[in-house]
């Protein structure tokens, strides 16, 4: 569909959770103020994310300034090199090891902490425990430091969000986290199979030209993205379970459970908006996009496109997964999708086995963030069997 000129301030627009709904429904590409283009339709969002001339790298990005060269902000051969470092730690075989030896105790500890309680801040109080436990172990971090990493890491999410909030404190936190990661490594906590050890061995074996600092930055961004997106989505899972969108007993069936997770991912993708940049003049959805323009790709809009999903706002576990892109597409698609979905399925399974009821007791229908999106301003009660 043709684009339309829209007098909209991007920052004000994206302060609305489902901002794509504020744009004309008869267009997929929308020109905003300040040379920004918003992309909202499913096919066009996928086109944008896979376009060879729409890139992640930009010298003024807050994340690039804070972390230096890294997996999220690189393109082309550099990006492929960064991803090659992460591939061994996220392989199907390694994820199966985590599922058997690491995840169960973390999931059970989380469920223990919520049984017969009512939480009005599940995201801040509970949701981070499983993903932080997993990634700290993968990084070779002392479990006693998990709370410290949580305190230091959470403010960094604003560096990756849009609109970006960049503060001196964020840069200080990055430096402190990198120091802690190196301290843990030199203290001998690395078992030879942790993320740092594995990616350094991969770098050396494959002759990948990345410095130690670039390896550390990629490890830290893996920590940030892996923990905060998972924390956000775990909150969405609990919210959907608590609203009675599906009977708990039905979720005992592994197939139904997987469908439940997939439908929650469609409706509540933890990354609602992805920011990219036009490296050259190009055409997107039939609309000319000039070089250097920012491109805002709405994952939320793509996942609720009525041309792809009938009754897109309805929770329906029987619908096809085709077209749902909660982990994005293209070269920058999330490399940790298998790890994340394994973690989510185990958590739902444990909650179903140990809870007689999960109920949202207060719901103001809030939604927080764009890059780590989750329902907010709700309370949930967990009743043990």
């Amino acid at each position: 569909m043709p684009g339309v000129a829209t007098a909209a301030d991007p920052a004000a627009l994206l302060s609305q959770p489902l901002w794509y709904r504020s744009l004309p429904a008869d267009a997929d590409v929308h020109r905003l103020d300040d040379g920004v283009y918003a992309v909202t339709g499913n096919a066009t969002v996928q086109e944008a994310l896979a376009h060879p001339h729409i890139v992640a790298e930009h010298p003024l990005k807050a994340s690039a300034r804070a972390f230096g060269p890294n997996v999220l902000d690189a393109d082309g051969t550099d990006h492929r090199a960064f991803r090659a470092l992460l591939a061994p730690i996220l392989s199907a075989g390694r994820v199966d090891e985590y599922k058997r030896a690491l995840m169960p105790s973390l999931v059970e500890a989380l469920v223990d902490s919520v049984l017969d309680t009512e939480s009005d801040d599940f995201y801040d109080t509970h949701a981070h425990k499983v993903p932080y436990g997993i990634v700290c172990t993968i990084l070779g971090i002392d479990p006693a430091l998990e709370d410290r990493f949580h305190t230091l890491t959470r403010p960094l999410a604003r560096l990756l969000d849009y609109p970006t909030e960049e503060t001196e404190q964020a840069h200080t936190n990055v430096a402190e986290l990198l120091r802690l990661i190196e301290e843990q490594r030199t203290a001998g906590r690395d078992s030879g199979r942790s993320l740092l050890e594995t990616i350094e061995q991969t770098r050396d074996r494959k002759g990948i030209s990345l410095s130690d600092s670039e390896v550390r930055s990629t490890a830290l961004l893996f920590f940030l993205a892996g923990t905060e997106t998972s924390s956000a989505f775990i909150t969405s899972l609990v919210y959907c379970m608590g609203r009675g969108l599906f009977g708990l007993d039905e979720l005992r069936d592994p197939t139904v459970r997987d469908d439940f997770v997939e439908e929650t991912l469609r409706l509540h993708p933890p990354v609602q908006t992805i920011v990219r940049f036009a490296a050259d003049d190009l055409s997107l959805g039939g609309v000319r996009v000039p070089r250097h323009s920012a491109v805002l790709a709405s994952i939320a809009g793509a996942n609720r496109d009525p041309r792809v999903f009938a009754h897109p706002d309805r929770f329906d576990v029987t619908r096809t997964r085709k077209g749902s892109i909660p982990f994005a597409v293209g070269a920058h698609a999330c490399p940790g999708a298998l790890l994340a979905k394994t973690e989510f399925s185990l958590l739902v399974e444990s909650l179903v086995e140990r809870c007689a009821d999960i109920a949202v007791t207060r719901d103001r229908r809030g939604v927080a963030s764009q890059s780590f999106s989750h329902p907010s301003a709700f309370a949930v009660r967990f009743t043990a069997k």
Side-chain angles (χ1 to χ4, degrees):
M1 294 184 181
V4 293
T6 306
D9 171 61
L13 180 66
L14 266 74
S15 66
Q16 306 171 47
L18 298 179
W19 56 265
Y20 69 92
R21 288 178 167 167
S22 300
L23 299 174
D26 62 348
D28 285 348
V29 182
H30 313 262
R31 187 172 71 247
L32 310 181
D33 291 345
D34 302 324
V36 175
Y37 285 75
V39 186
T40 55
N42 188 282
T44 315
V45 166
Q46 295 202 48
E47 178 189 356
L49 294 178
H51 199 293
H53 299 300
I54 295 181
V55 300
E57 187 172 3
H58 193 286
L60 298 181
K61 285 178 73 173
S63 53
R65 289 197 298 270
F67 295 97
N70 65 78
V71 66
L72 295 185
D73 297 318
D75 294 290
T77 56
D78 288 341
H79 180 68
R80 288 191 290 274
F82 279 118
R83 286 181 76 101
L85 299 181
L86 295 174
I89 213 78
L90 298 172
S91 68
R94 193 68 74 89
V95 170
D96 189 59
E97 288 182 29
Y98 304 147
K99 180 179 180 180
R100 288 183 284 104
L102 171 61
M103 293 182 186
S105 61
L106 295 170
V107 167
E108 291 308 308
L110 170 57
V111 176
D112 284 343
S113 71
V114 299
L115 286 179
D116 286 327
T117 69
E118 182 170 357
S119 174
D120 60 2
D121 196 3
F122 180 84
Y123 173 69
D124 279 326
T125 307
H126 300 288
H128 65 279
K129 293 182 179 181
V130 173
Y132 272 80
I134 291 171
V135 179
C136 275
T137 301
I138 291 173
L139 270 173
I141 302 299
D142 186 340
L145 292 175
E146 286 178 21
D147 288 342
R148 175 70 172 149
F149 266 74
H150 178 232
T151 300
L152 289 169
T153 302
R154 181 142 287 178
L156 300 187
R158 291 191 284 271
L159 288 171
L160 305 184
D161 211 348
Y162 193 94
T164 298
E165 292 182 35
E166 186 176 5
T167 65
E168 188 60 37
Q169 186 63 53
H171 287 266
T172 299
N173 285 17
V174 169
E176 175 63 9
L177 284 162
L178 289 171
R179 186 193 68 77
L180 284 172
I181 289 172
E182 179 59 21
E183 181 182 86
Q184 291 289 288
R185 183 181 181 281
T186 57
R189 288 198 54 79
D190 236 325
S191 64
R193 289 174 59 77
S194 77
L195 175 65
L196 280 177
E197 189 71 14
T198 299
I199 63 179
E200 287 181 352
Q201 290 172 355
T202 303
R203 175 193 63 181
D204 297 340
R205 185 176 67 254
K206 295 188 174 183
I208 297 172
S209 181
L210 292 174
S211 68
D212 286 349
S213 64
E214 290 168 340
V215 168
R216 303 293 187 278
S217 292
T218 284
L220 181 53
L221 274 170
F222 170 83
F223 187 99
L224 172 59
T227 54
E228 289 305 310
T229 52
S230 291
S231 298
F233 186 68
I234 285 170
T235 304
S236 297
L237 271 178
V238 165
Y239 176 78
C240 288
M241 294 177 78
R243 289 196 60 211
L245 299 177
F246 218 69
L248 292 188
D249 284 343
E250 295 177 83
L251 294 175
R252 293 176 181 276
D253 184 321
T255 300
V256 175
R257 187 163 60 245
D258 287 346
D259 289 340
F260 179 86
V261 171
E262 292 288 350
E263 180 67 348
T264 306
L265 280 166
R266 183 189 69 84
L267 279 169
H268 299 282
V271 178
Q272 297 262 336
T273 303
I274 295 176
V275 183
R276 294 286 185 264
F277 304 91
D280 295 295
D281 293 341
L282 54 90
S283 177
L284 184 60
V287 176
R288 180 182 175 274
V289 177
R291 182 185 181 190
H292 300 317
S293 299
V295 177
L296 307 178
S298 175
I299 297 295
N303 279 2
R304 299 193 189 209
D305 188 334
R307 293 164 294 183
V308 178
F309 304 102
H311 307 291
D313 296 325
R314 180 182 299 170
F315 194 98
D316 180 3
V317 297
T318 67
R319 72 169 78 245
T320 177
R321 299 176 187 178
K322 186 177 181 180
S324 180
I325 54 169
F327 295 103
V329 296
H332 281 268
C334 176
L338 177 61
L339 175 66
K341 289 200 280 190
T342 302
E343 169 189 350
F344 303 150
S345 182
L346 282 177
L347 177 60
V348 174
E349 181 180 12
S350 180
L351 285 169
V352 168
E353 287 298 321
R354 300 184 62 192
C355 291
D357 187 43
I358 301 173
V360 169
T361 56
R362 188 189 71 246
D363 189 1
R364 296 177 182 172
R365 303 296 179 94
V367 179
S369 183
Q370 290 293 332
S371 295
F372 306 97
S373 181
H374 59 89
S376 63
F378 72 95
V380 58
R381 184 181 64 247
F382 301 86
T383 303
K385 287 185 175 178

